Amino acid sequence: MSKVRVMFSPVTRLSGLLSVDVILEQGRVVEANAGGTMFRGYEWIMRDRAVTDAVYMTQRICGICSTAHGAAASYLLDELYDHELSENAQYLRNIIFAADFLQNHIRHFYFFSLPDFVKMPERPPFHGQNPADIRLNPEDNQRLAGHYFEAVKAAQESHQILALFGGKVPHQHSFVHGGVAAAPTADKIEQALALLGNISEFVKSRMVPDTELIARVYSDYFRLGITPRQFFSFGLFRFGVKNEKFLWRSGVLADGRLYPPRLELISENITSSWFEQTGAEDIKPDPLKPGAYTWVKSVRYAGRYFQVGPLARMMINGFYQGGAATMDRIYARTMETLLLTELAREWLKNLKPGPPPISQKSTPVKKAVTAATDAMRGALLHAALIEDEKVVKYNIITPTVWNFSPKDGLGGRGPLESALAGTEIPSQNMLFTILGRTIRSFDPCISCATHLLDCKGGVKAEAVF
Amino acid sequence: MQKEEFSKICRELSSGGSHALSRAILPAVKEHLASHNKKKLPVIWLETNDSGDNNIAFMNTAYPYLDRVFTEMLDLLYSNTFMAAQGRDALSILEQVSETYKGKFTLVVEGAIPKKDNGRYNIIARTETRCITALEAVTRLGGPAEYVVAIGTCAGFGGPTAARPNLTGSVGVRDVLDREVINVSGCPVNPDWFVGTLAHLLMYGRPDLDKLGRPTLFYGFTVHRHCQRRSYFDNKDFAKELGEIECMFLLGCMGPRTGADCPYRQWINHVSWPVKANTPCIGCTNEDFPDGSSPFFTPMAEKSKGQEGGKNASNQGGEQA
């Protein structure tokens, strides 16, 4: 039978620019090549800068998860300068970090994902919405569409908590190496608790039931967009004087067993990416490379692809026992949102009013440092080589690189591409609707994704776990 | 509302939810539109090479919130971030509205424009047969737009995307269009600056701009001039560590040569700003940000030169302190 090629572009309602080249045969997706189509060269931008600039500079990699980059860079500098973190600093850092997670998850669910399942009002920016396969009854539909507009405030209030302590956002200022520069005063704690109360109420009375309703009405998506059960997380929310403890554990979940991650087993490949190898340890961008289709590189762990994100965290921590399909990813993200509202409240209550919990030393004790944490979308790694407090090399692997890995010529597909392949498309006008739901369940962020790591050059195989 | 009154509100309404800018502006916009039989501002929004922080900043607009901006002020006709349509449906909408609203739409560009290799470093959409680069889209839509607004420092001047070594040859929108571009810079923009600028376009047309093409309403004075810690500076009482309450000048503060109203506008429903969080201003609205501000924690006189040898490093358009 003849194959049909359809370019799904632009995939709207996400951060950044994404095109998916889809090959169909007899109403079934037989291949999908997901292309991140923007490149800035951030690792090159980081070179030869003061290493302490990393917290503010790397946040500018990503607008929707800026705090995650700030956190990773802060952890990296904590280790470089051998800082000691007070308990108050860790609580405050985690409150700031969690506030950005709440913002991200609420905006992702309502602004990006909801219009996949709910008929929105016929006016900009919702005009021209394809109504095929909108299944909610009119009453439920109207209620959920209304919640889109309530989410506007809940997400803004999440960022207001962040700004109370962080000065501004995106690209907050106070969560830096050595602690947090802003003082957790009683008035700010009280304001944050009040805002969190509103957000918590929204998540409990809107986001959770809305997710459950969509999961019920679109229950076939528990069987669509399935990936192999291979999950990866660097862990999330650090505690301890040396950032040595994680609240949520790191792990590699494969073949039903959980292993500790080992950084030396991470490898990257540029076969399908717009880069050319220019030396043993160097590559350069090549936007006209034949056969390549994305700025995202392939990343594997011990030779296999792994999915990262809320579902991976929930699975690895034993909070969720479901499958690895589109609706599982959506469900796990909402579940995580609920957990975070409770954790943030606990941390705010544990935070002691007082002076800024920060203490910065000025002499580096290392020349190569690696920091790993989870971001909203999954595992995030920063690694730097430093000389005289200047960056020689700064390497970053973002979550979307894991999930949106293109084919690396060694066989198999990355998580997104494997989730898309095999999808049945009952009618041509449902193609974007069906694939869009699965693509967005990964919460794509392409501005983040177009980065690279050269393991040989930058990352020492240090046992950080 | 008269233009003078509008300008006064933009300048004077400061912190605190009850005095927030857009709360004051939107009812006036609504009234103005009703009395002048005008429609909402038709907007085509292109995301190019950036971090996506400016659309997030826009989502943070407060009093009224984003939903009311959508219902009462803007018709967001094309937006990669918000539109419900997707794939070629979205692309058809772009083609259609750029024709229907020719000469009437406002083009908002979020991100720098890579020029190297014919702009292949940023493709806003693909079809089965070709790639539409940001360079092509912005060039093509820039002509028929009534106004072009560059949101954020990347779109305005290149920003972090064009920071050295600028492998992608990225530039601000003004460098690919032969026409006036209104720059609403910031990394990211403060939503008040953006919403306020669009409100001005809607009701009174082009606002007064400084020499960098930015509305003087928001960028006309330096951060330093209005800083709450100015008395510390005047008394040479400088903070030595982040977290201290004195002037941040010796910790690299760019306030003296950064045009922006952060000290009284503040951020996210007007609750704080970097100096209030005991950290320096890093000059994110400036033409030479970030290179001209780095190292961020080094005093101004010792910072490295900005892009192209720092040709604009001492000429930022903001009023000098």
Side-chain angles (χ1 to χ4, degrees):
Chain A
M1 287 300 288
S2 63
K3 291 182 180 175
V4 186
R5 179 172 168 234
V6 179
M7 183 62 75
F8 183 3
S9 173
V11 185
T12 52
R13 284 180 278 118
L14 47 76
S15 286
L17 300 166
L18 176 71
S19 296
V20 184
D21 198 351
V22 183
I23 313 288
L24 294 151
E25 191 172 3
Q26 288 186 299
R28 192 169 155 273
V29 176
V30 292
E31 195 52 88
N33 295 324
T37 61
M38 58 201 292
F39 173 77
R40 291 185 293 160
Y42 229 87
E43 282 85 351
W44 284 275
I45 292 173
M46 291 304 297
R47 286 179 193 178
D48 204 30
R49 286 179 195 272
V51 68
T52 47
D53 281 1
V55 177
Y56 293 170
M57 276 304 288
T58 61
Q59 289 193 88
R60 282 152 173 96
I61 290 169
C62 179
I64 196 164
C65 63
S66 56
T67 306
H69 287 285
S74 295
Y75 299 145
L76 187 146
L77 292 169
D78 287 344
E79 195 174 323
L80 180 70
Y81 290 100
D82 195 29
H83 291 321
E84 289 173 2
L85 286 304
S86 71
E87 196 176 41
N88 239 22
Q90 297 291 30
Y91 280 129
L92 195 46
R93 281 178 162 192
N94 288 330
I95 290 160
I96 288 171
F97 204 1
D100 218 10
F101 268 75
L102 291 173
Q103 172 268 151
N104 180 88
H105 287 5
I106 292 169
R107 285 186 171 142
H108 177 267
F109 182 77
Y110 283 99
F111 297 171
F112 298 164
S113 188
L114 193 82
D116 283 336
F117 301 100
V118 169
K119 180 77 186 85
M120 299 301 291
E122 185 56 45
R123 56 176 165 80
F126 314 113
H127 56 301
Q129 183 184 12
N130 181 354
D133 200 36
I134 298 291
R135 305 179 201 166
L136 297 176
N137 69 45
E139 200 177 292
D140 285 340
N141 191 85
Q142 195 180 355
R143 195 177 70 251
L144 265 62
H147 294 169
Y148 179 105
F149 302 103
E150 293 182 32
V152 165
K153 192 161 185 182
Q156 189 276 345
E157 288 181 326
S158 306
H159 262 178
Q160 195 166 326
I161 294 177
L162 210 168
L164 271 174
F165 298 112
K168 74 188 258 277
V169 66
H171 318 322
Q172 62 78 32
H173 264 236
S174 76
F175 181 163
V176 290
H177 67 109
V180 180
T185 50
D187 60 313
K188 288 197 205 95
I189 294 171
E190 189 55 32
Q191 282 178 48
L193 278 167
L195 290 162
L196 186 63
N198 296 346
I199 298 160
S200 207
E201 178 59 28
F202 174 83
V203 172
K204 278 187 193 133
S205 69
R206 302 289 190 264
M207 192 167 170
V208 170
D210 291 352
T211 305
E212 283 168 350
L213 178 65
I214 286 171
R216 224 169 25 248
V217 176
Y218 295 89
S219 59
D220 45 331
Y221 282 84
F222 281 112
R223 298 183 301 277
L224 280 172
I226 293 172
T227 65
R229 295 178 68 89
Q230 293 172 180
F231 298 101
F232 187 98
S233 169
F234 279 132
L236 187 58
F237 300 126
R238 290 181 180 228
F239 283 97
V241 176
K242 294 285 178 189
N243 292 317
E244 72 279 12
K245 295 178 199 156
F246 281 100
L247 182 74
W248 289 351
R249 67 186 303 171
S250 62
V252 182
L253 187 60
D255 312 318
R257 289 185 60 194
L258 192 62
Y259 306 87
R262 289 164 55 195
L263 292 186
E264 71 273 21
L265 297 181
I266 297 172
S267 63
E268 290 198 291
N269 179 292
I270 57 167
T271 303
S272 300
S273 319
W274 284 308
F275 294 102
E276 68 167 303
Q277 198 85 35
T278 52
E281 295 183 358
D282 271 313
I283 61 171
K284 70 168 198 182
D286 177 12
L288 300 172
K289 177 174 159 181
Y293 58 88
T294 182
W295 286 111
V296 181
K297 290 173 71 181
S298 317
V299 59
R300 288 182 185 237
Y301 181 84
R304 292 157 81 168
Y305 289 114
F306 281 83
Q307 183 183 160
V308 300
L311 179 62
R313 286 191 287 272
M314 297 295 103
M315 288 275 198
I316 286 165
N317 283 277
F319 302 149
Y320 187 75
Q321 275 84 34
T326 296
M327 200 57 76
D328 292 295
R329 283 183 288 276
I330 294 172
Y331 205 87
R333 190 172 295 108
T334 295
M335 191 174 162
E336 182 170 274
T337 313
L338 183 63
L339 290 175
L340 289 173
T341 58
E342 287 159 11
L343 284 170
R345 179 187 317 281
E346 195 182 311
W347 295 334
L348 276 166
K349 297 225 154 147
N350 290 342
L351 191 60
K352 292 184 183 64
I358 185 168
S359 172
Q360 295 184 333
K361 297 178 195 167
S362 54
T363 312
V365 298
K366 294 186 171 183
K367 294 199 162 186
V369 205
T370 302
T373 177
D374 260 31
M376 296 69 170
R377 294 164 180 76
L380 172 65
L381 187 99
H382 282 207
L385 280 179
I386 300 115
E387 194 71 54
D388 294 331
E389 297 188 75
K390 279 194 151 185
V391 174
V392 177
K393 261 190 173 181
Y394 202 104
N395 297 319
I396 300 150
I397 304 183
T398 62
T400 305
V401 179
W402 289 90
N403 286 337
F404 283 53
S405 279
K407 280 163 273 292
D408 61 6
L410 304 173
R413 299 182 177 97
L416 172 78
E417 291 185 355
S418 73
L420 295 177
T423 306
E424 302 282 347
I425 310 294
S427 76
Q428 184 68 27
N429 77 333
M430 283 164 68
L431 176 69
F432 299 153
T433 304
I434 293 172
L435 299 186
R437 287 167 179 164
T438 291
I439 293 167
R440 290 189 193 88
S441 70
F442 288 92
D443 190 5
C445 176
I446 309 303
S447 27
C448 240
T450 51
H451 300 285
L452 56 108
L453 174 88
D454 179 353
C455 277
K456 288 185 219 103
V459 183
K460 283 271 184 292
E462 279 180 70
V464 296
F465 297 97
Chain B
M1 190 187 286
Q2 295 303 305
K3 184 172 174 175
E4 293 67 33
E5 194 189 342
F6 175 87
S7 300
K8 190 163 169 274
I9 286 175
C10 289
R11 283 213 183 83
E12 292 179 1
L13 283 193
S14 58
S15 55
S18 61
H19 296 289
L21 174 70
S22 32
R23 176 189 272 183
I25 288 176
L26 271 189
V29 169
K30 202 174 177 183
E31 191 192 8
H32 184 88
L33 294 184
S35 63
H36 292 75
N37 199 22
K38 276 192 186 175
K39 294 202 168 94
K40 292 188 283 176
L41 193 72
V43 171
I44 293 175
W45 183 317
L46 294 179
E47 184 174 356
T48 59
N49 247 15
D50 75 325
S51 75
D53 55 347
N54 290 294
N55 65 65
I56 296 293
F58 175 54
M59 294 179 205
N60 283 331
T61 181
Y63 290 115
Y65 287 78
L66 184 69
D67 48 316
R68 284 191 62 199
V69 174
F70 281 165
T71 52
E72 294 172 19
M73 201 176 155
L74 308 183
D75 272 332
L76 201 46
L77 300 166
Y78 181 89
S79 152
N80 196 71
T81 310
F82 294 105
M83 69 194 303
Q86 52 187 334
R88 72 164 74 98
D89 298 342
L91 210 50
S92 310
I93 288 176
L94 178 60
E95 280 160 16
Q96 192 194 319
V97 298
S98 59
E99 205 44 53
T100 313
Y101 292 87
K102 198 170 179 179
K104 300 189 188 93
F105 69 85
T106 293
L107 178 67
V108 173
V109 182
E110 176 186 8
I113 315 298
K115 285 181 81 175
K116 202 179 150 197
D117 296 326
N118 294 319
R120 293 287 296 220
Y121 298 94
N122 189 286
I123 293 163
I124 64 144
R126 300 172 68 185
T127 70
E128 283 76 6
T129 50
R130 65 187 219 94
C131 294
I132 303 166
T133 62
L135 180 63
E136 179 191 341
V138 171
T139 313
R140 197 155 61 89
L141 293 170
E146 184 175 12
Y147 302 108
V148 176
V149 177
I151 180 175
T153 301
C154 287
F157 316 123
T161 300
R164 65 177 160 77
N166 195 3
L167 287 185
T168 60
S170 286
V171 296
V173 176
R174 63 183 183 181
D175 292 326
V176 301
L177 291 181
D178 187 19
R179 61 164 294 162
E180 181 177 89
V181 175
I182 299 169
N183 292 318
V184 194
S185 63
C187 190
V189 74
N190 186 313
D192 280 9
W193 303 336
F194 179 65
V195 173
T197 298
L198 293 189
H200 199 293
L201 292 178
L202 191 56
M203 298 198 289
Y204 314 112
R206 178 188 179 278
D208 291 337
L209 304 177
D210 67 11
K211 55 192 161 190
L212 293 176
R214 306 177 304 186
T216 50
L217 283 174
F218 308 112
Y219 301 91
F221 297 97
T222 61
V223 165
H224 190 57
R225 179 177 171 126
H226 292 295
C227 185
Q228 292 92 344
R229 300 189 183 186
R230 180 59 186 265
S231 66
Y232 291 103
F233 176 86
D234 293 341
N235 291 319
K236 299 190 170 51
D237 194 357
F238 301 115
K240 293 177 187 65
E241 309 267 352
L242 297 185
E244 294 177 354
I245 60 163
E246 295 84 4
C247 174
M248 290 284 146
F249 186 73
L250 293 182
L251 291 170
C253 189
M254 291 289 290
R257 73 163 179 85
T258 301
D261 59 12
C262 296
Y264 59 95
R265 173 92 44 212
Q266 305 194 61
W267 288 76
I268 318 295
N269 209 1
H270 319 96
V271 297
S272 191
W273 70 290
V275 172
K276 193 170 168 184
N278 306 319
T279 60
C281 160
I282 60 171
C284 76
T285 59
N286 288 337
E287 192 179 25
D288 64 350
F289 179 79
D291 290 351
S293 298
S294 61
F296 295 139
F297 302 103
T298 297
M300 256 171 42
E302 297 160 39
K303 288 184 193 289
S304 49
K305 298 289 182 213
Q307 291 111 309
E308 296 168 47
K311 65 171 182 182
N312 297 304
S314 58
N315 181 17
Q316 282 300 314
E319 172 241 32
Q320 298 298 304

